[in-house]
Amino acid sequence: GENVEQHPSTLSVQEGDSAVIKCTYSDSASNYFPWYKQELGKRPQLIIDIRSNVGEKKDQRIAVTLNKTAKHFSLHITETQPEDSAVYFCAASIGGVIYNQGGKLIFGQGTELSVKP
Amino acid sequence: ETGVTQSPTHLIKTRGQQVTLRCSSQSGHNTVSWYQQALGQGPQFIFQYYREEENGRGNFPPRFSGLQFPNYSSELNVNALELDDSALYLCASSRKGGNEQYFGPGTRLTVT
């Protein structure tokens, strides 16, 4: 069935270092890959997403890369800051015009990122 | 913050009871999806509603049901509550054909 694997489960970095979180997905029909940040007790917040017709997308200190052949996608955070500390979730879905499956998001297990000052 | 709201914030129920959770979608969004997030895990898709009809369902039993109203708000109903139903229930709204889903703050359900 559909599955998204996410690694690592925990990640600790020093302020200013880079952080990388990796995900793999099983359904080759997936065409939309969002990343969410969830702080303790708060809602998941969409921070960046990528569609299958794009290999890389950047937004300031955050970037996402997608390798469709290997069914891998990754989140890169540069110049990390203490406020980046949170749980990050990757997800995959079949969305857009191919919407007959409801556009459901399949989430990874989450990565707890800790940025030490 | 998104414009998605949920009520109530917290709820405590006894095993076997029934519960109704509510969600108001963001302005301009006509699709609502519901997710269950157990402690320490990623959200799991329950179902999605579009034009007041269920439009996709995850691996949840029939005692999980929902409604969508003409103003696009939605309800999640759970009958015969079990201890394992204790979780954070999140709704997310989106545009039909749009990929982005924006989450509400969630309802924390505890079943004792």
Side-chain angles (χ1 to χ4, degrees):
Chain A
E2 304 145 321
N3 190 43
V4 174
E5 294 287 336
Q6 182 173 348
H7 300 280
S9 57
T10 61
L11 180 58
S12 182
V13 300
Q14 287 295 130
E15 182 177 0
D17 287 350
S18 295
V20 180
I21 302 171
K22 299 183 178 182
C23 290
T24 60
Y25 59 97
S26 61
D27 191 340
S28 56
S30 298
N31 61 359
Y32 174 66
F33 307 91
W35 286 87
Y36 286 86
K37 174 184 180 182
Q38 189 175 29
E39 296 176 64
L40 193 61
K42 297 199 172 180
R43 73 186 77 194
Q45 177 190 358
L46 179 64
I47 57 172
I48 195 167
D49 56 14
I50 191 167
R51 288 162 177 77
S52 58
N53 59 348
V54 175
E56 182 176 357
K57 183 177 179 180
K58 274 187 177 181
D59 183 3
Q60 300 182 342
R61 298 185 298 107
I62 294 174
V64 58
T65 58
L66 171 65
N67 182 330
K68 283 192 299 182
T69 303
K71 292 191 276 189
H72 288 171
F73 59 114
S74 301
L75 177 71
H76 305 252
I77 306 174
T78 58
E79 300 172 24
T80 54
Q81 302 167 3
E83 50 265 39
D84 294 330
S85 296
V87 179
Y88 291 81
F89 291 99
C90 63
S93 81
I94 303 171
V97 296
I98 311 172
Y99 216 58
N100 56 346
Q101 294 194 29
K104 65 180 179 182
L105 293 174
I106 306 298
F107 282 85
Q109 300 90 335
T111 296
E112 184 174 3
L113 174 64
S114 175
V115 180
K116 300 190 184 306
Chain B
E1 293 295 320
T2 72
V4 183
T5 60
Q6 291 185 243
S7 63
T9 306
H10 296 91
L11 206 49
I12 299 175
K13 289 285 189 178
T14 303
R15 191 172 51 184
Q17 286 188 314
Q18 177 265 343
V19 69
T20 297
L21 311 182
R22 296 177 175 82
C23 172
S24 291
S25 61
Q26 185 166 311
S27 177
H29 287 185
N30 54 15
T31 302
V32 174
S33 303
W34 285 92
Y35 294 83
Q36 180 194 68
Q37 186 176 25
L39 203 59
Q41 296 184 22
Q44 281 199 298
F45 178 77
I46 303 175
F47 42 54
Q48 183 182 83
Y49 276 83
Y50 170 68
R51 285 188 175 177
E52 303 176 50
E53 290 190 358
E54 190 178 287
N55 182 43
R57 189 179 183 94
N59 293 327
F60 282 81
R63 60 189 185 85
F64 285 77
S65 63
L67 285 173
Q68 186 180 33
F69 300 97
N71 67 353
Y72 308 126
S73 66
S74 177
E75 286 183 354
L76 164 65
N77 300 290
V78 187
N79 293 323
L81 283 167
E82 300 177 0
L83 297 179
D84 284 349
D85 295 334
S86 295
L88 180 67
Y89 288 85
L90 296 159
C91 74
S93 74
S94 57
R95 295 178 294 108
K96 173 62 176 174
N99 296 116
E100 297 88 351
Q101 295 188 24
Y102 297 94
F103 284 89
T107 294
R108 173 72 62 187
L109 173 65
T110 302
V111 183
T112 62

